[in-house]
């Protein structure tokens, strides 16, 4: 690398570091790996594209063809941007404005006054935003009351007696996508990650450890026999279901502290094997985060992500944000509360 190119790279690194609240010096930016440098530069360009798509309200739409702010896209973009950029402050203020009176967050602005699964993502996205502390506390209280239908005694009886088509323990329940539905893998995974960030298990938050334990037990109970997770149950009508990449990756993020449990070990192995040759950027990005959380090498997956064509033309905003998160997976896992 010649001096002119090196100075340009350092300038990009410094601007990215400053946007995260870290001032990088020239010595900090010593180039030891071409892959590390390319990851930082690629992520910087993707963040520029993400920032360009931010709506005047401070949120993001699901795609470039929409103007309606979507909470999933906004939360993932907030996590990708960090804390120090103007765009980050705008989206954090946006999240505070659109919170429902009951403490939850809607899937889209103006919809779902009863709230839904994106509440967990909003709680994580606001983790380090001091003005958001009261809103987070209201959100945590709501999330603790939000449970799959099988937590009700009548539904427990139903699944034990008349509805035997699915094989799971109804005493082990997690979180649904929306109120008055049963537990699913992805909402449960994000809820566990969010509740692991509760500042203290005291007062009205005292049931946090119990709910997290139930959610973890639910995920382990519903794992697919071959390894990994389907969207909901692992077995239906006596037939084992095939696992899905995205559901498996998000479940593994939530279960990163249970590495020794056999179903989790099988899931990590399944994900590693299945990720070979994976080309879908959304699934590839979540796979990088999950494997890194379980201390597995991710260089081959990062190389595959770098090689994908037209990354800046990806229309789905959440995918664009998750690619940024994967390219900075160590800081991302820290934001999710996952230690590596």
């Amino acid at each position: 690398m010649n001096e002119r190119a090196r100075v340009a790279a350092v300038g990009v690194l410094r601007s990215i570091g400053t946007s995260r609240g870290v001032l990088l010096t020239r010595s900090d930016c010593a180039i030891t790996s071409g892959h590390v440098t390319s990851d930082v530069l690629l992520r910087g360009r993707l963040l520029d594209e993400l920032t360009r798509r931010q709506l005047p309200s401070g949120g993001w739409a699901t795609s470039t063809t929409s103007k309606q702010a979507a909470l999933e896209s906004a939360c993932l973009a907030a996590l990708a941007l960090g804390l120090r950029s103007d765009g980050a402050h705008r989206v954090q203020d946006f999240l505070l404005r659109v919170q429902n009176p009951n403490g939850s967050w809607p899937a889209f602005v103006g919809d779902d006054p009863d709230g839904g699964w994106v509440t967990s993502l909003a709680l994580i996205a606001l983790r380090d935003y001091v003005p958001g502390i009261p809103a987070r506390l209201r959100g945590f209280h709501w999330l603790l009351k939000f449970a799959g239908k099988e937590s009700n005694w009548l539904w427990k009886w139903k699944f034990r007696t008349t509805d035997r088509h699915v094989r799971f323990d109804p005493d082990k329940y997690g979180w649904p996508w929306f109120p008055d539905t049963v537990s699913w893998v992805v909402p449960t995974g994000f809820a566990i990650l969010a509740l692991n960030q509760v500042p203290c298990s005291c007062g009205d938050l005292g049931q946090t450890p119990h709910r997290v334990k139930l959610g973890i037990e639910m995920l382990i109970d519903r794992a697919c026999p071959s390894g990994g997770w389907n969207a909901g149950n692992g077995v239906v009508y006596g037939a084992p279901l095939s696992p899905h990449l995205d559901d498996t990756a998000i479940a593994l993020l939530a279960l990163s502290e249970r590495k020794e449990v056999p179903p989790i070990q099988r899931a990590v192995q399944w994900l590693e094997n299945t990720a070979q040759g994976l080309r879908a950027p959304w699934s590839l990005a979540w796979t990088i985060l999950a494997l890194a959380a379980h201390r597995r090498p991710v260089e081959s997956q990062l190389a595959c992500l770098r090689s994908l064509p037209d990354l800046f033309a990806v229309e789905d905003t959440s995918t664009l944000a998750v690619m940024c998160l994967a390219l900075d997976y160590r800081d991302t896992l820290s934001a999710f509360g996952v230690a590596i």
Side-chain angles (χ1 to χ4, degrees):
M1 178 182 291
N2 63 37
E3 185 63 20
R4 183 174 181 179
R6 186 182 295 274
V7 170
V10 169
V12 173
L13 288 165
R14 185 176 290 133
S15 66
I16 293 170
T18 303
S19 73
R20 297 186 63 87
V22 179
L23 181 61
L24 301 180
T25 66
R26 186 186 180 101
S27 60
D28 293 327
C29 300
I31 307 299
T32 59
S33 165
H35 291 325
V36 171
T37 304
S38 62
D39 286 349
V40 174
L41 295 174
L42 175 59
R43 182 173 179 274
R45 291 182 62 197
L46 290 172
L47 285 173
D48 286 344
E49 174 62 22
L50 190 64
T51 301
R52 187 186 68 79
R53 297 186 189 184
Q54 191 170 20
L55 300 174
S57 66
W60 273 263
T62 56
S63 72
T64 56
T65 59
S66 173
K67 295 299 181 183
Q68 183 181 18
L71 270 291
E72 179 188 28
S73 300
C75 292
L76 292 172
L79 284 166
L81 289 173
L83 276 178
R84 298 296 180 180
S85 69
D86 290 339
H89 286 304
R90 288 174 57 210
V91 67
Q92 287 154 348
D93 290 340
F94 163 81
L95 291 175
L96 298 186
R97 288 198 311 274
V98 302
Q99 185 180 24
N100 288 327
N102 66 3
S104 68
W105 273 268
F108 295 90
V109 175
D111 291 341
D112 308 317
D114 293 330
W117 72 279
V118 290
T119 297
S120 299
L121 272 183
L123 291 170
I124 297 169
L126 290 168
R127 172 182 177 175
D128 296 319
Y129 191 50
V130 173
I133 290 175
R136 290 186 86 223
L137 289 174
R138 293 196 302 274
F140 284 132
H141 283 107
W142 181 89
L143 192 59
L144 287 170
K145 299 173 184 176
F146 186 46
K149 251 187 174 181
E150 68 271 36
S151 64
N152 180 276
W153 71 267
L154 182 60
W155 280 77
K156 290 181 189 293
W157 173 85
K158 174 179 179 287
F159 283 123
R160 287 199 181 97
T161 56
T162 60
D163 189 348
R164 304 289 293 170
H165 301 310
V166 293
R167 190 203 68 183
F168 66 81
D169 183 349
D171 285 327
K172 299 171 181 176
Y173 57 88
W175 284 263
W177 293 104
F178 297 100
D180 298 320
T181 56
V182 296
S183 306
W184 295 85
V185 169
V186 168
T188 297
F190 282 128
I192 290 170
L193 290 168
L195 288 177
N196 279 337
Q197 298 182 6
V198 167
C200 71
S201 298
C202 51
D204 293 340
L205 298 176
Q207 61 174 311
T208 301
H210 175 66
R211 285 301 312 275
V212 169
K213 179 174 179 290
L214 277 178
I216 290 171
E217 291 175 347
M218 171 250 169
L219 289 178
I220 294 172
D221 180 60
R222 302 191 194 184
C224 297
S226 61
W229 281 266
N230 196 280
N233 304 310
V235 177
V236 175
Y237 287 99
L241 299 181
S242 299
H244 297 163
L245 276 161
D246 310 351
D247 302 86
T248 298
I250 291 167
L252 285 174
L253 283 175
L255 298 170
S256 62
E257 295 182 1
R258 303 296 182 98
K259 296 178 177 66
E260 74 287 351
V261 178
I264 298 173
Q265 293 176 338
R266 287 196 298 271
V268 173
Q269 189 60 56
W270 177 86
L271 189 62
E272 266 192 321
N273 294 339
T274 308
Q276 301 302 317
L278 181 63
R279 305 290 293 176
W282 170 263
S283 298
L284 188 56
W286 283 115
T287 296
I288 290 167
L289 294 172
L291 291 179
H294 286 262
R295 300 177 184 175
R296 298 298 180 96
V298 294
E299 180 50 45
S300 63
Q301 287 78 29
L302 283 168
C304 185
L305 183 61
R306 294 183 207 108
S307 71
L308 294 178
D310 301 323
L311 290 182
F312 309 100
V314 170
E315 288 195 0
D316 183 75
T317 305
S318 293
T319 299
L320 185 65
V322 174
M323 288 192 296
C324 294
L325 294 173
L327 290 166
D328 188 24
Y329 66 85
R330 290 182 178 86
D331 280 353
T332 297
L333 292 178
S334 177
F336 278 124
V338 175
I340 57 173

